[in-house]
Amino acid sequence: MASTLAVAGVATAATSANITEGALTDGTVAWDAAAKANATLLLEENSTISAPSNAVAGAIISIEVAQHATSGPFTLAWNTVFEFAASTAPTMTATDAKTDIFSFRYNGSVWQEIGRSQNMAQT
């Protein structure tokens, strides 16, 4: 069952909160920020992440990008709506079976990078 819960105030989870992972398709990557705030992407070709749809100021999204273990490495380009430190998009880890994880916050006009972990073992 899909639904939306709007809370005017503080929402507290007694133990933890979880956002289900959703897989994105490589190539020209369409990303619905509302439907897949916690995304994964397996690179099996050179790809470009388009501007996410359904962006809302204050939203936070993350993506784990993995290189294909046998046919990579592949490149990943980012739409200009993504803002990185020093306005420079990162170079993806090119090692097979490694992942890079990126987190962003939407400020109403751009997705600002708020976290990055690269060259993580794919397990």
Side-chain angles (χ1 to χ4, degrees), residues 17-50:
N18 177 22
I19 300 174
T20 303
E21 277 187 347
L24 301 176
T25 304
D26 59 349
T28 301
V29 181
W31 189 357
D32 183 334
K36 295 181 180 176
N38 184 14
T40 60
L41 176 64
L42 175 60
L43 291 179
E44 296 182 298
E45 63 181 287
N46 294 331
S47 299
T48 300
I49 297 184
S50 301

Side-chain angles (χ1 to χ4, degrees), residues 42-83:
L42 175 60
L43 291 179
E44 296 182 298
E45 63 181 287
N46 294 331
S47 299
T48 300
I49 297 184
S50 301
S53 59
N54 296 311
V56 176
I60 295 174
I61 59 176
S62 64
I63 185 169
E64 178 181 12
V65 182
Q67 289 286 350
H68 190 275
T70 57
S71 58
F74 298 103
T75 61
L76 182 64
W78 301 83
N79 184 282
T80 58
V81 74
F82 290 96
E83 177 62 28

Side-chain angles (χ1 to χ4, degrees), residues 21 40-44 64-74 92-101 117-123:
E21 277 187 347
T40 60
L41 176 64
L42 175 60
L43 291 179
E44 296 182 298
E64 178 181 12
V65 182
Q67 289 286 350
H68 190 275
T70 57
S71 58
F74 298 103
M92 296 298 303
T93 299
T95 307
D96 289 343
K98 294 288 187 168
T99 64
D100 294 344
I101 302 169
S117 296
Q118 292 190 273
N119 200 27
M120 307 291 292
Q122 203 174 358
T123 56

